[in-house]
């Protein structure tokens, strides 16, 4: 599994590719927690390059969604691959995790969420870019 | 009881999640050999992975000392997989039935996915006697 992160203005983005299971989920947890530690409250998780997801990976996304909700933020997931979407749908988590077909739609959702709460924290473009493998 | 199969393949893996991908890998090749569609194979990969994850989480007290035995039985239009351990076991009648568990980071979703993504799931277990989960996926076109 490969993970890259980027902080763009008020928005954090975590891009994941490969296979997300109980063996690799700790890497995702680390990347998501790092975003929160940087003060990010609106987080886009891009799973377009993900080939496989299991229940532990979904559990990580639920955990971070709840934490973001507690601090007045929100999360959106980008996922196109039918086999991965199917696991979200069967588990009944598509709505909770705000699944979108592309990054633009996910971003629009988070922008609307941010405007609604009117508490965005401006950040510098490109701040805190990093990559984990 | 599963029918004897000359094509049965047995895999024993350490009880560590880094080996989940190894258990999934054989599903791809053997599922194609059995004539399953790409979608069927994808479903079965999730199911096998979740069944093995369940063993790793519960059979040996969450430790990494035990072993997980996975048997693959491909036949025409069907792939059956048994996931077996010699760990703690449990009373299968306590497994939740019905719809998806309430979303939460604490788990409980794994065996629900196994049941929903396969054509059959059978759990044989008793406290102190290990567990065997047998799952079957048939060709759906």
């Amino acid at each position: 599994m490969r993970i890259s992160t980027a902080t763009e203005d008020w928005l954090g983005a975590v891009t994941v590719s490969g296979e997300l299971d109980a063996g690799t989920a700790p890497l995702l947890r680390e990347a998501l927690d790092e975003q929160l530690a940087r003060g990010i409250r609106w987080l886009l998780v891009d799973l377009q390059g993900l080939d496989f997801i299991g229940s532990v990976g979904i559990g990580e996304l639920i955990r971070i969604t709840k934490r973001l909700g507690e601090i007045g933020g929100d999360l959106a997931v980008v996922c196109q691959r039918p086999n991965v979407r199917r696991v979200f749908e069967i588990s009944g988590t598509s709505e909770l995790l705000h699944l979108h077909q592309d990054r633009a739609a996910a971003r629009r959702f988070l922008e609307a969420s941010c405007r609604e709460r009117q508490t965005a924290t401006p950040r510098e473009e490109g701040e805190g870019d990093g990559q984990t493998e | 009881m599963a029918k004897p199969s000359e094509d049965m393949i047995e895999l024993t893996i350490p009880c560590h999640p880094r080996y989940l991908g190894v258990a999934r890998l054989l599903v791809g090749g053997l599922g194609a050999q059995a004539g399953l569609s790409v979608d069927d194979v994808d479903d079965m990969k999730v199911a096998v992975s979740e069944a093995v994850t369940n063993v790793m989480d519960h059979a040996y007290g969450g430790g990494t000392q035990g072993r997980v035995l996975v048997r693959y039985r491909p036949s025409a239009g069907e792939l059956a997989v048994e996931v077996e351990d010699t760990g703690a076991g449990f009373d299968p009648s306590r497994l939740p039935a019905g719809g998806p568990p309430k979303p939460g980071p604490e788990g409980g979703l794994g065996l629900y996915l196994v049941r929903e993504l396969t054509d059959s799931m059978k759990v044989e277990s008793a406290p102190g006697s290990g567990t065997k989960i047998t799952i079957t996926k048939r060709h759906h076109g």
Side-chain angles (χ1 to χ4, degrees):
Chain A
M1 186 177 75
R2 289 175 64 86
I3 298 181
S4 61
T5 61
T7 307
E8 176 199 330
D9 195 12
W10 53 278
L11 180 71
V14 176
T15 302
V16 188
S17 59
E19 301 193 325
L20 177 53
D21 62 17
T24 55
L27 290 173
L28 176 63
R29 169 178 285 233
E30 194 179 312
L32 295 173
D33 284 349
E34 189 183 304
Q35 292 289 308
L36 260 72
R38 290 176 182 216
I40 286 293
R41 277 180 285 172
W42 281 273
L43 191 56
L44 187 154
V45 178
D46 187 341
L47 304 182
Q48 290 181 94
L50 199 68
D51 301 314
F52 175 91
I53 191 165
S55 64
V56 178
I58 290 178
E60 272 307 314
L61 294 171
I62 292 170
R63 182 188 67 89
I64 209 72
T65 298
K66 291 188 171 176
R67 281 193 59 195
L68 286 167
E70 287 163 7
I71 58 173
D74 221 336
L75 171 137
V77 173
V78 183
C79 176
Q80 286 179 329
R81 295 202 177 184
N83 63 310
V84 177
R85 286 189 77 92
R86 180 163 156 78
V87 180
F88 283 113
E89 284 158 11
I90 288 177
S91 64
T93 56
S94 301
E95 288 185 18
L96 175 71
L97 298 175
H98 307 128
L99 247 64
H100 293 83
Q101 286 280 356
D102 55 60
R103 280 180 83 113
R107 191 185 170 98
R108 281 196 298 275
F109 169 82
L110 290 170
E111 283 170 349
S113 171
C114 183
R115 273 198 305 274
E116 195 175 294
R117 296 176 197 253
Q118 295 185 324
T119 53
T121 304
R123 296 178 69 93
E124 295 299 320
E125 183 84 20
E127 183 186 338
D129 288 1
Q131 183 160 326
T132 308
E133 186 171 351
Chain B
M1 180 177 289
K3 289 177 286 189
S5 167
E6 289 180 2
D7 292 337
M8 192 267 282
I9 291 174
E10 217 170 65
L11 174 71
T12 306
I13 55 175
C15 193
H16 192 289
R18 76 166 70 102
Y19 296 104
L20 285 167
V22 178
R24 287 196 298 272
L25 201 58
L26 282 177
V27 174
L30 295 174
Q33 183 182 312
L36 300 190
S37 68
V38 172
D39 289 346
D40 292 335
V41 167
D42 284 337
D43 286 353
M44 195 59 164
K45 280 183 183 174
V46 176
V48 169
S49 192
E50 293 300 330
V52 176
T53 300
N54 191 68
V55 170
M56 291 174 174
D57 284 347
H58 302 294
Y60 303 106
T64 55
Q65 296 303 308
R67 311 285 288 186
V68 188
L69 177 64
V70 190
R71 291 189 200 91
Y72 304 81
R73 300 179 188 274
S75 57
E78 181 179 300
L79 176 62
V81 178
E82 299 167 11
V83 177
E84 189 168 358
D85 66 74
T86 56
F90 67 102
D91 177 1
S93 69
R94 297 182 66 183
L95 280 175
K102 187 180 172 189
E106 64 278 354
L109 182 60
L111 287 183
Y112 173 77
L113 287 175
V114 177
R115 194 171 67 222
E116 291 298 309
L117 292 170
T118 59
D119 291 294
S120 70
M121 175 180 89
K122 180 179 167 190
V123 180
E124 299 166 86
S125 186
S129 300
T131 300
K132 182 162 91 172
I133 301 174
T134 305
I135 53 183
T136 305
K137 187 76 178 177
R138 298 184 196 97
H139 173 62
H140 289 281

